[in-house]
Amino acid sequence: MPYEYEDRDTGREALRRALALLTDLDPRVREHGADEVGDCLRRCAGDQDDTEVATARLVALTVAETDERVRESALNACADAATTYVMPLAVFQPLAPLLPNLSAELTGYVLLILGLTHDPAARPIITPYLNHPEASVRLEASDALTELSARRPTIIHPDVSPTS
């Protein structure tokens, strides 16, 4: 539910403005835009469709982006979406091919996001990272598999119907 001082339309407008920043030429503006999108998603500034569109834009940014800080902000916002809404694996699927070339920190974000989908189809993507050379990545993979196996929340966002 939006904060009491912010109605749904204002939230959608804030989300729209934040998404526009993702295409700026300046990486610091894109980073700020991803942070703002994450703030909007945490405040539930939109419905399920708005969130899936916004998250798909963040995923596309992560795939195309070369700036590590922008990628981190975009993945953090994706995690916000996956924590606040019931998100389908298909939205995050384009992140899987990036995994072998990401830093340990960003790999951890992607594994967390995949686990938050609660979709068993993410298991074969996550499982190989249990043997990653970095201990932090192995821990994130283990946590992601635990989350993946956990019962999907019935309702996270009050306006969202759970999907399976």
Side-chain angles (χ1 to χ4, degrees), residues 48-64:
Q48 182 74 25
D49 290 338
D50 296 329
T51 300
E52 288 185 27
V53 167
T55 305
R57 294 270 310 275
L58 291 165
V59 167
L61 174 65
T62 303
V63 169

Side-chain angles (χ1 to χ4, degrees), residues 31 54 60 70 84 87 108 118 120 135 153:
E31 177 186 7
V70 176
T84 309
M87 297 295 293
H118 299 275

Side-chain angles (χ1 to χ4, degrees), residues 28-132:
R28 298 298 63 86
V29 174
R30 292 192 305 275
E31 177 186 7
H32 173 70
D35 289 338
E36 289 295 314
V37 171
D39 290 345
C40 290
L41 296 174
R42 274 192 309 279
R43 290 192 313 261
C44 302
D47 60 16
Q48 182 74 25
D49 290 338
D50 296 329
T51 300
E52 288 185 27
V53 167
T55 305
R57 294 270 310 275
L58 291 165
V59 167
L61 174 65
T62 303
V63 169
E65 186 61 56
T66 57
D67 187 282
E68 185 88 355
R69 288 171 48 186
V70 176
R71 278 182 154 183
E72 180 182 359
S73 292
L75 289 172
N76 186 44
C78 286
D80 290 335
T83 301
T84 309
Y85 293 81
V86 176
M87 297 295 293
L89 176 61
V91 173
F92 302 114
Q93 200 78 37
L95 297 173
L98 299 179
L99 280 165
N101 299 313
L102 293 176
S103 67
E105 183 178 8
L106 297 187
T107 298
Y109 268 117
V110 174
L111 295 173
L112 165 71
I113 291 162
L114 294 173
L116 288 168
T117 66
H118 299 275
D119 187 329
R123 183 173 302 283
I125 301 168
I126 298 168
T127 301
Y129 291 88
L130 292 171
N131 298 314
H132 194 275

Side-chain angles (χ1 to χ4, degrees), residues 1-12 40 42-46 85 157-159:
M1 167 183 321
Y3 293 124
E4 54 270 348
Y5 61 82
E6 179 178 49
D7 65 26
R8 174 84 61 214
D9 291 332
T10 304
R12 282 192 175 124
C40 290
R42 274 192 309 279
R43 290 192 313 261
C44 302
Y85 293 81
H157 180 280
D159 295 335

